[in-house]
Amino acid sequence: MTLLSVTALAGGYGPVKVLHGLDFEVAHGEIVVILGANGAGKTTTLRALSGMIPSDGEIVFDGEDVTGRKPQVLARRGVAHVPQGRGTIDELTVEENLRVGAWTRRDSDVAADVDRWFEVFPHLADRRTQQAGSMSGGEQQMLAIARGLMSRPRLLLLDEPSLGLAPIITQELFAQLGDLNRELDTAMLIVEQNAGLALRLASRGYVLETGRIVAQGAATELEGNEDVRRAYLGL
Amino acid sequence: MQLFLSQLMNGLGNGVIYASLALAIVLIYRTTGLLNFAQGEMALFSTYVTWKLVDDSEMGLPVAAAIGISMVIAFVGGALIERVVIRPVERSSPLVIVIVTIGMFLAINSIAQAIFGTDTKQLPSVFSDAAWVVGGVRVTAQTVGLVGVLAAECLLLWLLLQKTRVGLGLRAVASNPDSSRLVGIGTGNMLMLGWAISAALGALAGAMIVPMTPGLSAGSMQAVLIYAFAAAALGGFDSPLGAVVGGIIVGVAQALAIQYVDPLNDIELVVPFALIGGVLLFRPTGLFGRRVVERV
Ligand SMILES: Nc1ncnc2c1ncn2[C@@H]1O[C@H](COP(=O)(O)OP(=O)(O)O)[C@@H](O)[C@H]1O
Ligand SMILES: [Mg+2]
């Protein structure tokens, strides 16, 4: 069952076209990775998906055409986008960042979910009332991800979650993402530079080059593909 | 000593006024990142509305009720201004936005004169003119009332920003608009709300200021706005607490400077300008602020 289906996605910044017709999909509960060199258009792809920039083509999420809808609408439909770099809301406390992550929810389990992510990320629990902006890069990345999960998304878009993290923290983080995926059945579309790690987590992958998909397939296939290994895995 | 103390009281009365307008400036700066040079004229217009509600022979409302109604009108007006005037230029360069707010300054001022006339109006104070002598210093009901209003205003604002869902949204948008959009906050609505609250606070400030001046006229808010900007700069443009402390410091500094520094007697506006200059030079974030003002 497809959760997200994208056809001929094009978009960019004003007159600058960055994406030149992408076709890809993500199934319910699936983890998919997008690889590509710096400037390939990975971030732009995620921004188009979450409605942060205008786009052409067709984006169908859970059977509904959401092309050109605002970020607010996508968030309400169940898409959580953890942007590249500092996605935290610096002037809110750690706990407030989590609560604001549940902005679209009206149920009464929000407090329970906050506690739950504090259990999963004990580093954050220790800093509950600290301003998010005063935390280390790694802690902020954890917080941004936990905040994304607070909306109980059906699709989590992660833009370079390992950026600026120590290798050991990255491994921990990816292990946790795998657990979360198994436990909550949250689908994930992950953009990563750390291709090796990402391909081990994902079931499928796409390789992006200057706004076009140049390779795709099962993660194991991509890992074995000579061209991909040379260009993106640095092997 | 007594002279000093009574000047201190005078200064406090004025300072509270500057603080209340500075709060309005800070609120817009926090939510939208821009300095609204038309803040004073928006307050002026609202104060004319208050005056009209009190003065009109048919309505003739009590002052407190008139202030309440004009705050509601200002709330709606502030939201409209954000929607109609500010939103179309929101993504333009800071210079363009500054020019737009200066344009609004001039436009609102002329419209107010066209509607309400150019003669000076008298707006009675909500407070009684009682006064007490405490330890040799005259304390007026006016000053006590002003301090009370400001304290209540601060408490309500604090509750709104810290304890409500909408407050959480307002603070989130102020800090990181992109991430706020991604979690599903309607950032446009939050900006509109910021302008609305700020305009309502301005209406309140205006009705507090005018009874302490010779009367309500087209120029009533201009000097006050400069003091309020000095207060906001001193406290930090993004800090409501800073606005209050800054306002009181500016008010007291002004009163003492006039009393004790003879040459300043007629050119007292030097005081706020010196303060603004000094702050920008030595501590651009202000006493309590975090963000450096770059968009001026
Ligand atoms: N805000 C922007 N305005 C204009 N061009 C941009 C902007 N952001 C990115 N680009 C351009 O779009 C292209 C793709 O960028 P991006 O999607 O960030 O790549 P990636 O995430 O794969 O490194 C680059 O050429 C970049 O210069
Ligand atoms: Mg990127």
Side-chain angles (χ1 to χ4, degrees), chain A residues 13 18 37-44 84:
Chain A
Y13 305 91
V18 175
N38 257 332
K42 307 181 296 298
T43 295
T44 308
Q84 184 174 341

Side-chain angles (χ1 to χ4, degrees), chain A residues 47 50-53 71-72 75-76 79-83 86-93 96-97 99-106 131 147 151, chain B residues 30 87 161-190 238 290-291:
Chain A
R47 289 173 65 89
S50 61
M52 294 295 281
I53 56 168
Q72 245 177 302
R76 252 183 262 131
V79 178
H81 180 172
V82 179
R86 304 165 130 262
T88 46
I89 300 177
D90 285 356
E91 284 173 39
L92 301 188
T93 64
E96 284 171 339
N97 264 275
R99 284 202 282 123
V100 91
W103 186 263
T104 53
R105 283 171 55 182
R106 295 285 178 173
Q131 288 213 323
R147 193 195 54 219
S151 67
Chain B
R30 266 187 72 91
R87 194 160 305 184
L161 287 173
Q162 299 295 328
K163 298 290 166 193
T164 67
R165 173 181 156 88
V166 143
L168 183 64
L170 278 169
R171 286 183 296 133
V173 171
S175 173
N176 189 335
D178 278 351
S179 284
S180 300
R181 290 170 75 197
L182 289 175
V183 297
I185 301 175
T187 49
N189 291 344
M190 290 296 157
D238 59 345
R290 256 179 255 108
R291 234 177 310 168

Side-chain angles (χ1 to χ4, degrees), chain B residues 24-289:
Chain B
I25 292 169
V26 163
L27 203 65
I28 287 193
Y29 182 77
R30 266 187 72 91
T31 39
T32 65
L34 59 94
L35 293 178
N36 178 17
F37 289 97
Q39 196 76 58
E41 300 317 285
M42 286 164 56
L44 177 78
F45 195 92
S46 307
T47 311
Y48 272 116
V49 172
T50 308
W51 166 81
K52 182 76 188 158
L53 291 170
V54 173
D55 188 72
D56 191 275
S57 54
E58 284 183 16
M59 287 177 281
L61 292 175
V63 182
I67 293 175
I69 293 174
S70 91
M71 282 176 75
V72 173
I73 297 174
F75 186 89
V76 175
L80 275 176
I81 287 178
E82 197 280 331
R83 243 310 125 91
V84 178
V85 183
I86 301 298
R87 194 160 305 184
V89 295
E90 197 181 27
R91 300 199 178 274
S92 316
S93 77
L95 190 62
V96 171
I97 300 178
V98 165
I99 289 171
V100 167
T101 71
I102 291 174
M104 257 166 41
F105 175 108
L106 299 172
I108 296 175
N109 193 289
S110 326
I111 295 170
Q113 289 188 58
I115 298 179
F116 299 103
T118 49
D119 54 320
T120 302
K121 330 273 192 218
Q122 295 306 322
L123 178 67
S125 169
V126 261
F127 307 114
S128 81
D129 46 17
W132 308 274
V133 177
V134 182
V137 179
R138 208 174 111 89
V139 179
T140 62
Q142 175 82 14
T143 304
V144 175
L146 285 171
V147 171
V149 166
L150 182 70
E153 205 178 296
C154 291
L155 180 67
L156 287 176
L157 259 186
W158 183 83
L159 288 174
L160 174 78
L161 287 173
Q162 299 295 328
K163 298 290 166 193
T164 67
R165 173 181 156 88
V166 143
L168 183 64
L170 278 169
R171 286 183 296 133
V173 171
S175 173
N176 189 335
D178 278 351
S179 284
S180 300
R181 290 170 75 197
L182 289 175
V183 297
I185 301 175
T187 49
N189 291 344
M190 290 296 157
L191 299 186
M192 210 163 78
L193 183 64
W195 275 80
I197 296 172
S198 167
L201 292 184
L204 179 61
M208 301 287 124
I209 295 162
V210 166
M212 299 174 71
T213 65
L216 175 60
S217 65
S220 281
M221 296 296 165
Q222 284 160 13
V224 179
L225 182 72
I226 291 169
Y227 284 107
F229 263 105
L234 184 62
F237 276 103
D238 59 345
S239 165
L241 172 68
V244 172
V245 176
I248 291 169
I249 294 177
V250 169
V252 170
Q254 176 200 17
L256 297 182
I258 295 170
Q259 180 65 39
Y260 294 106
V261 191
D262 249 353
L264 281 182
N265 225 326
D266 290 323
I267 48 163
E268 51 184 89
L269 268 180
V270 168
V271 175
F273 281 121
L275 273 171
I276 295 177
V279 171
L280 294 182
L281 210 56
F282 295 109
R283 193 175 158 82
T285 57
L287 296 176
F288 296 91

